[in-house]
Amino acid sequence: MRAKQPLDTYLADYRHKHDGFHDLLWAFRLVEENFDCRRVLYPGSYLHVTPSLVFPEVCYVDSVKGIAAALASHDLLEYLSGHREYSENPRIWCYEEDYARFDSEPHVSFDLLISLNAGFVSQACRSFLKPGGLLLANNGHYDAARAQVDPGYRLVGALDGGSLLLDSSHPDLSSHFRTAKGEALTLEMVEADAKRPPSRARFMPSREMEAYLFQLAPIK
C-alpha cells in the first residue's frame, strides 16, 4: 500500500474519476434495485469499496500487501458509514490473499460476485455463489467473455451509460459478444485472447458495454 491514507487513495482513484469502471456506483445501485443481493464477494478489489455504499455485507479479497489493514482504517469505515444507502451499519471484511487460492468463506453463500479488471474471477470464485446468484463483470481482462462462453452462466443484463438492459426486454444481448465479423465467441477464442493484452485482442466483442450481469445456473 502507498503511504497516502486509504480514504484519500480511494477518493482519488475511484470516486473522483468517471472513466471506465472506476466508480460504477450507478451500476451497483441498479443491481440492488432490480435483484435481491445482500451478501457480496469482490475478489481483486484493491481499495474499490464503492459496493459497500450500496450493499450492507461485502467481502473483499486482494493480495496487495497491507490491504486488509487499509480496508479496516477508521477514516475509510467512517466515510462508508456516513455515505451508505441503507439503514444498518456496513459490514466489510477483507482477506489479504490471492483470490485464485481463496477458500476462507463458506461456499454457496454469496448473492453477488464482482469481477472488474481482475482476471477470470468468474471461474476461480464461482463456487462461492448461491445457485441463481449473480456475476457482475466487465471485459477489461476478458472475464465477461469467459462467463459468456461458460454454460454454467446465463447473460441476463448489460450495463452502460447509467442504464441496465435486461434480457427480458432485450433478448439480443448475446449479440454483444459477437466479433466484428459476426462470429459468436468460443472458449478457444477467449483463451487465445487471454494471452494477449486487450489492445492486441483478436476476438473482442463488436459492442462493448461497461459491465455485464450473468446468473449462475440453479442446481437441478
Side-chain angles (χ1 to χ4, degrees), residues 1-6 9-10 13-14 21 42-51 60-68 70-71 76 94-95 116-118:
M1 291 295 300
R2 287 175 279 177
K4 186 188 293 186
Q5 291 298 313
T9 300
Y10 165 66
D13 288 358
Y14 301 106
F21 86 102
Y42 190 175
S45 60
Y46 187 52
L47 278 173
H48 188 212
V49 293
T50 301
Y60 298 89
V61 183
D62 203 294
S63 60
V64 172
K65 185 177 181 181
I67 191 68
L71 288 176
L76 189 62
C94 176
Y95 294 94
L116 299 174
N117 293 356

Side-chain angles (χ1 to χ4, degrees), residues 175-195:
S175 66
H176 289 241
F177 289 95
R178 291 188 176 274
T179 69
K181 296 181 179 180
E183 303 168 289
L185 285 181
T186 65
L187 176 59
E188 291 73 24
M189 289 177 179
V190 177
E191 289 181 337
D193 270 352
K195 302 172 184 177

Side-chain angles (χ1 to χ4, degrees), residues 19 27 43-44 69 79 94 128 132 141 154 160 162 169 185 189 214 220:
D19 52 323
Y79 175 89
C94 176
F128 296 99
H141 286 192
R154 180 174 70 90
D160 195 61
S169 53
L185 285 181
M189 289 177 179
F214 299 86
K220 295 181 180 180

Side-chain angles (χ1 to χ4, degrees), residues 7 12 17 43-44 52 66 75 83 88 98 122 126 144 161 176 196 207:
L7 177 59
K17 292 183 179 180
S52 289
D75 288 349
H83 292 79
E88 62 207 89
D98 183 349
S122 67
R126 66 186 298 156
H176 289 241
R196 307 165 67 96
R207 299 169 64 191

Side-chain angles (χ1 to χ4, degrees), residues 145-167:
R146 183 64 184 86
Q148 172 65 15
V149 300
D150 184 336
Y153 286 105
R154 180 174 70 90
L155 179 64
V156 296
L159 298 116
D160 195 61
S163 298
L164 170 61
L165 307 179
L166 295 173
D167 65 332

Side-chain angles (χ1 to χ4, degrees), residues 22-95:
H22 277 97
D23 188 6
L24 283 186
L25 175 60
W26 62 271
F28 299 133
R29 284 172 173 162
L30 285 171
V31 172
E32 192 278 332
E33 290 169 4
N34 288 274
F35 298 91
D36 185 18
C37 293
R38 176 184 177 86
R39 186 173 160 86
V40 179
L41 179 63
Y42 190 175
S45 60
Y46 187 52
L47 278 173
H48 188 212
V49 293
T50 301
S52 289
L53 297 174
V54 177
F55 304 106
E57 297 183 25
V58 185
C59 174
Y60 298 89
V61 183
D62 203 294
S63 60
V64 172
K65 185 177 181 181
I67 191 68
L71 288 176
S73 69
H74 174 76
D75 288 349
L76 189 62
L77 295 177
E78 190 174 64
Y79 175 89
L80 292 174
S81 182
H83 292 79
R84 70 190 188 278
E85 299 182 357
Y86 43 87
S87 59
E88 62 207 89
N89 289 325
R91 180 177 177 234
I92 78 169
W93 65 108
C94 176
Y95 294 94

